[in-house]
C-alpha cells in the first residue's frame, strides 16, 4: 500500500517560501529592489549563510581619469577606485496573531492560512515603512528623533544633494532657515522643480547613478507623497496630453506613474508629510507651510540586509485551546551613506539620493 504524502505546496517550508516571494512581489518598492549594485534598493542575503549582525556594502565610485594614449606609460598612472563602505545592522522583527479554538481543529497549514492575509498585509506595510523611514532618516537617525544640530550637520554634508523649493538659492547651512524659505505659491512640485532636482543629481559629486530599465533607458525614480504627486500631475498635464498616446491608457486617465525628462514619478502612500510650524524635540523645524520631501533616487540609494528570510512560527496557548501564528525575519534597512573625509566613514553623505523639500498644501 502506498504511503500518503503531503503535497509540496502544503509543507511548512514551501509555505514560507511562497510567503516570502509574495511578500516581495506585492511590495510597492519591489520593481526597484535587486541584488546588483545597479538596483535602487540593493538586497544582500549573505548573513543568511553565516553568523553576524552586521553587513558591509561596498560603494565604488566611477572612474573619471582620461585614457592613457599611445606609447605613454600607464604604470604609475592608475586611478584609485575610491572605494567606501556602508555598514548595516540587522535585527529580529516579528508579529503574531492568535487563532480561535475552532481553527485549532484544523491542520497546522490551515492555521497558517487563517492568519495569512493579516500577517502578509502587516509584513508588506512594515517593509514599506522601513524603506520610507530610511529615506527620511538623517545620518541613520529617524527624522522624528533628530536634533537641530543633527539636521544641520546632514544639511551641510549634503549641500550638493538637497533642494528647498524652486531655487538652489534657498539653501542655507542651517536646516530650519532653508525650510523657512518654502511657500505655497512658488515652491510646490512642478515640472521646473523636477528638472532642477534631476540636475542636482547629475551635478552632485559623485553624481547619483541612474538605473537601466527595459529598452536600455536610464532613469531616476522620484518617490513622492500623494499631495506632491497631485501638483506634479497638474504641472505635467500638458506634457502627458501631448507626448503620450491620446487614449484611455494616457496617465491623465489612468493615474499611472508619471515620466518626465528621464525621471519616473512614483506616488507612494504614507510618504512623510510635515505639518506647518512643526517641532521636533520642542525645536522648530523651520517650515511655515505644510511640506513633504521628494526622494529622487538612483542606484544604491537604500541597502537591505537579510540574516533570516520571513518565516512562520506557531505556539499553543491555554491548554492548546488557542494557537498563535507569528511571522519573523532578521533584517536591516538603511539609506546608504559614504564617507567624504580622510577615513572611510568620516563626514558621511547620502549616496544615491537627492532630497528636495517642497510645499504640499492640503486639498481645498
Amino acid at each position: 500500500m502506498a504511503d500518503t504524502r503531503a503535497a509540496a505546496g502544503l509543507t511548512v517550508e514551501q509555505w514560507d517560501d511562497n510567503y516570502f516571494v509574495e511578500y516581495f512581489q506585492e511590495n510597492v518598492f519591489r520593481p526597484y529592489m535587486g541584488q546588483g549594485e545597479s538596483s535602487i534598493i540593493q538586497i544582500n542575503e549573505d548573513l543568511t549563510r553565516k553568523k553576524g549582525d552586521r553587513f558591509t556594502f561596498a560603494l565604488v565610485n566611477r572612474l573619471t581619469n582620461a585614457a592613457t594614449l599611445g606609447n605613454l606609460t600607464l604604470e604609475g598612472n592608475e586611478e584609485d577606485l575610491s572605494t567606501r563602505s556602508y555598514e548595516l545592522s540587522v535585527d529580529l522583527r516579528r508579529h503574531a496573531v492568535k487563532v480561535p479554538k475552532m481553527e485549532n481543529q484544523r491542520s497546522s497549514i490551515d492555521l497558517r492560512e487563517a492568519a495569512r492575509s493579516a500577517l502578509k498585509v502587516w509584513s508588506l506595510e512594515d517593509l514599506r515603512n522601513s524603506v520610507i523611514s530610511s529615506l527620511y532618516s538623517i545620518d541613520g537617525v529617524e527624522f522624528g528623533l533628530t536634533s537641530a544640530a543633527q539636521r544641520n550637520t546632514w544639511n551641510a554634508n549634503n549641500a550638493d544633494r538637497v533642494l528647498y523649493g524652486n531655487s538652489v538659492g534657498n539653501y542655507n547651512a542651517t536646516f530650519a532657515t532653508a525650510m523657512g524659505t518654502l511657500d505655497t505659491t512658488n515652491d510646490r512640485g512642478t515640472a521646473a522643480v523636477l528638472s532642477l532636482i534631476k540636475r542636482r543629481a547629475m551635478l552632485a559629486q559623485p553624481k547619483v547613478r541612474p538605473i537601466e530599465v527595459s529598452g536600455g533607458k536610464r532613469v531616476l525614480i522620484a518617490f513622492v507623497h500623494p499631495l506632491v504627486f497631485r501638483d506634479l500631475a497638474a504641472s505635467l498635464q500638458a506634457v502627458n496630453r501631448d507626448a503620450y498616446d491620446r487614449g484611455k491608457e494616457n496617465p491623465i486617465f489612468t493615474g499611472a506613474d508619471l515620466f518626465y525628462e528621464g525621471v519616473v514619478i512614483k506616488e507612494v502612500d504614507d510618504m512623510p508629510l510635515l505639518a506647518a510650524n512643526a517641532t521636533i524635540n520642542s525645536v522648530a523645524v523651520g517650515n511655515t507651510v505644510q511640506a513633504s520631501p521628494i526622494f529622487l533616487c538612483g542606484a544604491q540609494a537604500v541597502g537591505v540586509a537579510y540574516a533570516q528570510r520571513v518565516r512562520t512560527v506557531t505556539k499553543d496557548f491555554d491548554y492548546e485551546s488557542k494557537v498563535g501564528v507569528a511571522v519573523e525575519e532578521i533584517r536591516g534597512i538603511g539609506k546608504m551613506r559614504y564617507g567624504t573625509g580622510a577615513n572611510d566613514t568620516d563626514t558621511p553623505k547620502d549616496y544615491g539620493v537627492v532630497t528636495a523639500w517642497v510645499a504640499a498644501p492640503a486639498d481645498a
Side-chain angles (χ1 to χ4, degrees):
M1 182 180 293
D3 293 336
T4 300
R5 300 182 182 278
L10 299 181
T11 63
V12 173
E13 182 178 355
Q14 184 67 32
W15 194 96
D16 286 347
D17 284 345
N18 289 340
Y19 187 104
F20 185 78
V21 170
E22 292 178 11
Y23 161 72
F24 269 109
Q25 288 180 339
E26 297 180 22
N27 170 35
V28 67
F29 291 106
R30 175 63 188 93
Y32 315 110
M33 304 177 84
Q35 295 187 336
E37 293 179 356
S38 295
S39 299
I40 285 178
I41 303 173
Q42 185 181 1
I43 300 172
N44 189 282
E45 295 188 85
D46 281 1
L47 291 179
T48 62
R49 297 181 289 273
K50 59 186 179 183
K51 297 292 185 181
D53 63 355
R54 293 177 179 83
F55 178 79
T56 300
F57 289 87
L59 304 177
V60 183
N61 292 325
R62 67 189 183 97
L63 300 176
T64 58
N65 285 4
T68 298
L69 303 177
N71 293 325
L72 296 178
T73 302
L74 179 60
E75 186 174 350
N77 291 307
E78 301 87 353
E79 184 176 355
D80 183 2
L81 276 177
S82 186
T83 57
R84 297 281 177 159
S85 67
Y86 170 66
E87 185 180 82
L88 184 60
S89 298
V90 299
D91 203 355
L92 177 65
R93 305 179 71 87
R94 53 186 179 163
H95 194 39
V97 297
K98 284 186 180 179
V99 180
K101 181 177 181 179
M102 288 307 299
E103 295 294 338
N104 194 37
Q105 303 304 308
R106 303 176 183 175
S107 71
S108 61
I109 299 302
D110 287 333
L111 292 175
R112 286 183 170 84
E113 290 297 339
R116 181 186 182 95
S117 295
L119 288 173
K120 187 168 69 173
V121 169
W122 178 84
S123 298
L124 289 167
E125 291 179 348
D126 185 53
L127 179 62
R128 178 201 63 192
N129 293 343
S130 294
V131 173
I132 293 172
S133 179
S134 297
L135 289 169
Y136 199 31
S137 65
I138 299 293
D139 290 335
V141 180
E142 290 184 25
F143 187 85
L145 300 177
T146 57
S147 66
Q150 288 172 321
R151 295 191 291 274
N152 290 344
T153 297
W154 171 85
N155 196 40
N157 291 345
N158 290 276
D160 63 342
R161 284 168 143 71
V162 295
L163 181 69
Y164 297 90
N166 69 347
S167 172
V168 174
N170 290 340
Y171 174 81
N172 188 286
T174 301
F175 182 83
T177 302
M179 288 292 290
T181 64
L182 300 181
D183 67 65
T184 57
T185 300
N186 302 304
D187 298 308
R188 296 166 70 157
T190 64
V193 167
L194 194 66
S195 295
L196 180 55
I197 301 170
K198 181 187 176 182
R199 289 196 296 277
R200 298 292 283 167
M202 294 293 95
L203 297 176
Q205 291 296 324
K207 74 175 184 179
V208 176
R209 290 187 292 123
I211 62 169
E212 188 169 310
V213 295
S214 59
K217 295 179 181 178
R218 293 174 60 79
V219 301
L220 298 169
I221 311 295
F223 298 113
V224 303
H225 186 278
L227 291 176
V228 178
F229 190 88
R230 170 204 64 192
D231 292 340
L232 287 167
S235 179
L236 293 170
Q237 189 175 55
V239 174
N240 290 328
R241 183 187 65 233
D242 297 335
Y244 288 87
D245 292 337
R246 297 192 179 189
K248 63 182 180 180
E249 299 303 319
N250 191 291
I252 292 175
F253 303 108
T254 64
D257 299 341
L258 302 174
F259 184 76
Y260 183 67
E261 291 189 353
V263 177
V264 176
I265 306 162
K266 183 74 177 179
E267 180 182 23
V268 180
D269 294 345
D270 296 327
M271 291 293 281
L273 188 65
L274 202 60
N277 301 308
T279 61
I280 295 178
N281 300 323
S282 301
V283 177
V285 175
N287 61 307
T288 59
V289 300
Q290 185 168 268
S292 184
I294 296 174
F295 298 118
L296 184 64
C297 298
Q300 291 185 291
V302 174
V304 182
Y306 274 94
Q308 176 189 291
R309 287 186 169 199
V310 178
R311 75 181 189 97
T312 54
V313 181
T314 61
K315 180 180 179 180
D316 292 329
F317 295 91
D318 193 17
Y319 297 94
E320 299 185 357
S321 67
K322 298 181 179 69
V323 174
V325 183
V327 289
E328 66 173 30
E329 61 181 336
I330 302 176
R331 66 159 166 82
I333 294 182
K335 180 168 57 175
M336 291 204 201
R337 305 183 304 278
Y338 71 98
T340 60
N343 297 316
D344 185 13
T345 58
D346 290 350
T347 318
K349 176 187 289 192
D350 294 347
Y351 186 70
V353 185
V354 170
T355 304
W357 282 94
V358 295
D363 291 325

